[in-house]
Amino acid sequence: MPAETAEGAPDRPDRPDRLDRLDRPDRPDRRDRQSQLGPLPAFMAHGTQDVAPVVTPTGDTMWLVRSYPLGRGVLSDERFSRAHAATAHAPKLNDAQPVPDSMMSMDGAEHTRLRRVVAGAFTTRRVSAMAPDVGRLADQYLDALAAAGPGADLIEQLAAPLPLAVLCSLLGVPPKDAGRFRNWVEVLFDISASTPGEKSRRRLELVDYMEELIGRKRQQPQDDLMTTLIEAHDRGVLTMGELLTLGLTLLMAGYETTVGQIGLTVHSLLSAPGTLADVRRNPQALASAIEETLRLNPATPLSFPRVAVEPVPLGDITVQPGEGVMVSLLHGNRDETVYAEPEALSAEGRDAVHLTFGHGVHRCLGASLARLQVQIVLERLLGRFPALRLATGRDAVVWKDGLVTRGLARLLVEW
């Protein structure tokens, strides 16, 4: 059954689609909606119900939650299990089978045990201490960008290499190996364009590399996160499988989502001339403007699926045990019951915390590091290139398609 027909009740004529009401200042015209949101799965692009059944690309039926309050509740409710979603017969979003020994596929004490091992690397103090190094890396890429200008592709020359360099430094991956990850990661995050066989091959290549890296780190321990994970394994805190999976998870998820978020944030701000002018007049407003771009354009539009372990009332329906639930972070962040003028990009700040980095015990561990990179990129871009603007032409902005994460394949700018 096509995803568009899986919604149940027809759309109410008095409630236009939240993602289609883009007709005020600093919002694109409805005709330009695709240029702002990019390609979305059919089950996300249509429908208005707070909770509705949708059909995923695998043909499974799951509940999609579009409401901010209900979505926030799902993300923190222990009755919706990530571990059950990783079982073989659980409903799936795509053909990538969740890894049971991943921190993102665990509940309760098991999840807490793994998260505690790495949490120290992402404290506010530790992330703040990384700012000078992130700034130096950003300046290197901006120097090269300026030398090659006066136009550039910000994805290829800044948004993609910066997060990879930051993560490799954090984990202790040698810079000479950094280039090997990009194709691996993009195939594994692909939601439709690559085959299961291709995903399996790339996953095995990544595992082989991580085993090799662990061996090298054992011989030459360093002050990095991978050495910390190896020490936790040696103390019996992590199994070897968990060590491998945790290292891969941190590298893969932290890279792809941050690349996407940097590109989406720059694109959002350059597409909002009023807000951009406010930020240029008052640089102190940049932090609020960035939070708004994070809210309006999350790189991760959907939460990971969860499976109900008991009957759970959710809005007007009751989710039965074994049924899958996903939260649309993209819709929740634009919920008009929570945000006044929800589609407007404002540099004045919002009261409600957006859902871009999730909520509850599975909230994104690297949120502060992602924010730091986005903040540094925007500060330096606007400082170095005061006339920065989107390039013209149909090929100036090219969206990635077929990925679990949202993002741009190309973002051409001029100055």
Side-chain angles (χ1 to χ4, degrees), residues 40 52 56 101 144 352-353 380 402 406 408 413:
L40 295 173
T56 71
D101 61 1
V353 177
R380 281 162 164 75
R406 298 172 64 236
L408 300 168
V413 296

Side-chain angles (χ1 to χ4, degrees), residues 18-19 34 39 64 69 90 100 108 125 132 143 172 179 191 204 248 254 288 310-311 323 326 380 390 396 402 404 409:
R18 295 172 202 166
L19 298 185
Q34 180 76 10
L64 180 69
R125 181 181 62 82
D143 288 343
I191 195 173
L204 289 173
L248 291 170
S288 294
E310 61 181 80
E323 292 182 337
M326 298 179 295
R380 281 162 164 75
L390 293 175
V404 176

Side-chain angles (χ1 to χ4, degrees), residues 52-56 60-64 91-93 305-306 324-326:
V54 297
V55 177
T56 71
D60 291 324
T61 298
M62 301 177 68
W63 295 103
L64 180 69
K92 298 291 187 292
L93 170 61
R306 288 158 169 78
V325 177
M326 298 179 295

Side-chain angles (χ1 to χ4, degrees), residues 375 390-392:
Q375 179 83 23
L390 293 175
T392 57

Side-chain angles (χ1 to χ4, degrees), residues 61-389:
T61 298
M62 301 177 68
W63 295 103
L64 180 69
V65 180
R66 298 187 180 94
S67 155
Y68 178 99
L70 294 178
R72 186 177 166 98
V74 167
L75 296 175
S76 58
D77 192 330
E78 294 180 354
R79 296 173 295 179
F80 293 110
S81 167
R82 284 288 302 130
H84 281 67
T87 59
H89 300 294
K92 298 291 187 292
L93 170 61
N94 60 14
D95 57 20
Q97 175 67 31
V99 181
D101 61 1
S102 167
M103 180 172 62
M104 294 185 290
S105 298
M106 293 181 174
D107 300 322
E110 288 296 279
H111 170 263
T112 301
R113 173 176 59 85
L114 264 64
R115 191 174 177 103
R116 186 179 294 126
V117 173
V118 295
F122 297 97
T123 63
T124 301
R125 181 181 62 82
R126 291 289 294 273
V127 170
S128 296
M130 295 175 66
D133 289 335
V134 175
R136 280 191 289 272
L137 284 167
D139 285 338
Q140 290 174 16
Y141 295 120
L142 288 172
D143 288 343
L145 189 146
D153 178 1
L154 281 188
I155 303 301
E156 188 65 31
Q157 295 175 256
L158 178 64
L162 177 65
L164 188 57
V166 170
L167 283 168
C168 286
S169 175
L170 177 69
L171 282 163
V173 174
K176 65 181 179 64
D177 293 343
R180 301 170 65 181
F181 287 101
R182 189 168 178 180
N183 288 336
W184 284 340
V185 171
E186 290 200 353
V187 167
L188 291 177
F189 272 85
D190 192 310
I191 195 173
S192 62
S194 64
T195 65
E198 178 70 2
K199 284 188 174 68
S200 179
R201 184 174 69 82
R202 297 300 178 95
R203 189 177 291 111
L204 289 173
E205 290 173 356
L206 267 171
V207 170
D208 287 345
Y209 174 80
M210 194 58 68
E211 289 177 336
E212 175 191 335
L213 179 64
I214 289 170
R216 280 187 270 160
K217 292 289 181 184
R218 286 194 184 281
Q219 297 297 319
Q220 296 179 312
Q222 296 174 304
D223 184 18
D224 55 49
L225 185 51
M226 185 55 66
T227 298
T228 299
L229 298 182
I230 292 169
E231 291 171 348
H233 167 262
D234 293 345
R235 296 195 309 271
V237 177
L238 300 176
T239 67
M240 179 53 71
E242 290 168 345
L243 169 59
L244 285 166
T245 301
L246 195 50
L248 291 170
T249 298
L250 291 167
L251 186 61
M252 291 165 53
Y255 168 67
E256 183 67 26
T257 55
T258 308
V259 172
Q261 202 62 69
I262 290 173
L264 291 169
T265 300
V266 174
H267 180 249
S268 295
L269 196 53
L270 295 184
S271 300
T275 303
L276 183 60
D278 289 344
V279 168
R280 283 175 168 152
R281 284 192 298 267
N282 176 22
Q284 300 301 315
L286 180 60
S288 294
I290 287 173
E291 283 305 303
E292 275 288 84
T293 63
L294 291 173
R295 177 182 69 85
L296 286 167
N297 262 316
T300 305
L302 284 170
S303 73
F304 285 109
R306 288 158 169 78
V307 167
V309 296
E310 61 181 80
V312 184
L314 194 61
D316 295 332
I317 61 99
T318 297
V319 181
Q320 299 300 323
E323 292 182 337
V325 177
M326 298 179 295
V327 177
S328 173
L329 311 179
L330 193 64
H331 285 87
N333 283 348
R334 295 166 180 258
D335 191 330
E336 63 184 1
T337 68
V338 175
Y339 301 103
E341 297 292 326
E343 290 85 15
L345 196 162
S346 170
E348 298 178 0
R350 303 274 187 171
D351 292 331
V353 177
H354 58 70
L355 298 176
T356 293
F357 296 114
H359 180 64
V361 297
H362 281 282
R363 186 178 183 277
C364 176
L365 192 61
S368 57
L369 183 56
R371 273 195 178 95
L372 176 71
Q373 293 177 76
V374 172
Q375 179 83 23
I376 286 174
V377 164
L378 263 297
E379 286 175 350
R380 281 162 164 75
L381 265 177
L382 298 180
R384 292 278 294 268
F385 308 106
L388 188 72
R389 60 190 179 275

